Amino acid sequence: SGELKIDVAFIAAPAADACGNLNGTDGPSACGTLGYAMVDAAHARCVVAVTDNLVPFPASPADITQDQVDLVVRVDAIGNPAGIVSGTTRATSDPMGLKIAATAGQVIAASGLLADGFSFQTGAGGISLAVAAEVRTLMHARGIRGSFASGGITGYIVDMLDEGLFNALLDVQCFDLKAVASYRCNPSHLCMSASMYANPHARGAVVEQLDVMVLGAAEIDLDFNVNVATGSDGVIIGGSGGHADAAAGAKLAMVTTKLNAGGFAKIVDRVTTVTTPGETVDVLVTEEGVAVNPRRADLRERLLAHGVRVVEIGALRKVASARATTDALIAAGGGRVVAVVEYRDGTVIDVVRQSLS
């Protein structure tokens, strides 16, 4: 949105010309779309493109154009594309994960949203990709053609585009080499900036057009608040990406998770850190059934009418707690604030404090 004032942005460019037109599709280090770098280039006071592939003017296509770039630096190598490892983006083969994915497919089918024009996003985790496989099967069986799939794009979603299940892909980041190749060759595989994807202050955000979003969780609590930023010990495990944005924008925001992981219960009384507020989460899908946010009584009735096993989230919490073999490591509070969780409208919804333990 431009709220953060960047002094200098260094942008790794798989292809660049001497004037600063850049793309991620060409060269030995091709990585696909430059959706995050596009935002850096738009707002930084100085933009430095770093490339190992200097091409004749004008570089074409150009995801970032010369009017946003101050300097171009040529180096021997900007990275190793083998690090975009396709093997990490595979659907789970774990029976419990497949059971969760099958149930998630039932929820989507029962929601009433799975019709021509359907729009969809899922992550790159094993269960999320298994959900995509379920959706793929349902769309083929019902003869449904969707409008778009979005987010960080994987080879699974590319296959759905190639099979005619979606009209287009809107891609902020390629998650594997198959997605990189698709973006290079398929005109229906489109780049979008992170701002176009999720900025609530812009003229339009893609997340506002989503029908179904499949979300993960490190923790989820009895009020459906989700944590993907820290472990139960309060240690930061990663950024939230578009988690809260997509949950707020989608007509059906679905969290899929096992009840336990690493011996810990993943459903807790209160999440260690609120990343995504529960008011924007519609349904939780686990191996022991589906919990529906009380705000979505309409969805609950639809699921029950279609034979989906609906349970209270408190009951899932009890099962998760009973199965836990390790007590949660609750962070000792009181330390200085080391991170701020900012919601998509700019408000601060939580903070992360330095552990005193």
Side-chain angles (χ1 to χ4, degrees):
S1 66
E3 178 184 349
L4 294 179
K5 304 303 179 184
I6 304 168
D7 289 319
V8 184
F10 295 91
I11 295 175
D17 63 35
C19 292
N21 297 295
L22 319 176
N23 73 51
T25 58
D26 300 321
S29 303
C31 65
T33 62
L34 302 178
Y36 289 102
M38 290 167 73
V39 176
D40 294 336
H43 296 297
R45 293 184 178 94
C46 179
V47 176
V48 181
V50 184
T51 188
D52 56 7
N53 182 37
L54 197 62
V55 301
F57 177 87
S60 178
D63 285 346
I64 297 172
T65 53
Q66 64 190 61
D67 56 319
Q68 294 184 315
V69 178
D70 298 284
L71 300 164
V72 178
V73 179
R74 185 176 183 178
V75 298
D76 292 335
I78 60 171
N80 178 7
I84 310 173
V85 183
S86 298
T88 62
T89 51
R90 292 176 179 167
T92 183
S93 58
D94 170 59
M96 189 178 296
L98 292 174
K99 181 179 180 181
I100 293 170
T103 302
Q106 291 178 334
V107 171
I108 294 170
S111 70
L113 297 170
L114 195 60
D116 284 339
F118 173 71
S119 57
F120 179 64
Q121 182 177 332
T122 188
I127 293 178
S128 294
L129 291 176
V131 175
E134 291 288 334
V135 170
R136 180 181 182 181
T137 299
L138 287 167
M139 292 179 74
H140 276 301
R142 298 185 179 194
I144 290 169
R145 186 177 180 90
S147 54
F148 72 91
S150 67
I153 296 299
T154 66
Y156 272 76
I157 302 301
V158 167
D159 288 340
M160 295 175 78
L161 174 69
D162 292 343
E163 292 166 7
L165 296 180
F166 290 108
N167 292 331
L169 303 184
L170 296 171
D171 189 352
V172 73
Q173 177 187 13
C174 293
F175 276 157
D176 59 28
L177 295 177
K178 191 169 188 176
V180 175
S182 172
Y183 177 58
R184 181 187 298 117
C185 301
N186 192 333
S188 295
H189 189 153
L190 307 173
C191 175
M192 64 175 170
S193 72
S195 179
M196 176 180 168
Y197 172 60
N199 182 1
H201 310 297
R203 293 175 178 87
V206 168
V207 293
E208 304 291 347
Q209 304 301 318
L210 276 173
D211 286 325
V212 174
M213 173 66 195
V214 181
L215 302 159
E219 297 175 320
I220 183 168
D221 67 23
L222 297 177
D223 293 320
F224 288 83
N225 297 305
V226 180
N227 171 23
V228 294
T230 67
S232 60
D233 57 0
V235 175
I236 296 171
I237 58 176
S240 64
H243 199 283
D245 302 288
K251 295 182 179 69
L252 175 63
M254 173 193 303
V255 172
T256 58
T257 183
K258 297 178 183 179
L259 292 179
N260 302 84
F264 295 96
K266 296 192 69 175
I267 303 178
V268 296
D269 293 331
R270 178 70 178 175
V271 292
T272 307
T273 306
V274 177
T275 304
T276 297
E279 65 195 56
T280 63
V281 175
D282 298 306
V283 62
L284 166 65
V285 181
T286 75
E287 70 271 25
E288 292 296 340
V290 175
V292 180
N293 193 316
R295 293 171 175 264
R296 292 298 312 271
D298 61 319
L299 179 61
R300 178 186 175 86
E301 292 306 312
R302 273 188 167 273
L303 299 187
L304 289 171
H306 285 78
V308 177
R309 184 185 177 195
V310 177
V311 297
E312 297 301 318
I313 194 169
L316 294 176
R317 162 66 178 136
K318 290 178 180 177
V319 175
S321 180
R323 291 179 180 175
T325 58
T326 306
D327 293 330
L329 303 173
I330 305 300
R336 67 185 179 90
V337 173
V338 295
V340 173
V341 181
E342 187 176 294
Y343 194 54
R344 63 195 309 260
D345 62 0
T347 57
V348 174
I349 59 174
D350 210 339
V351 298
V352 180
R353 294 185 178 274
Q354 185 179 29
S355 175
L356 296 178
S357 58

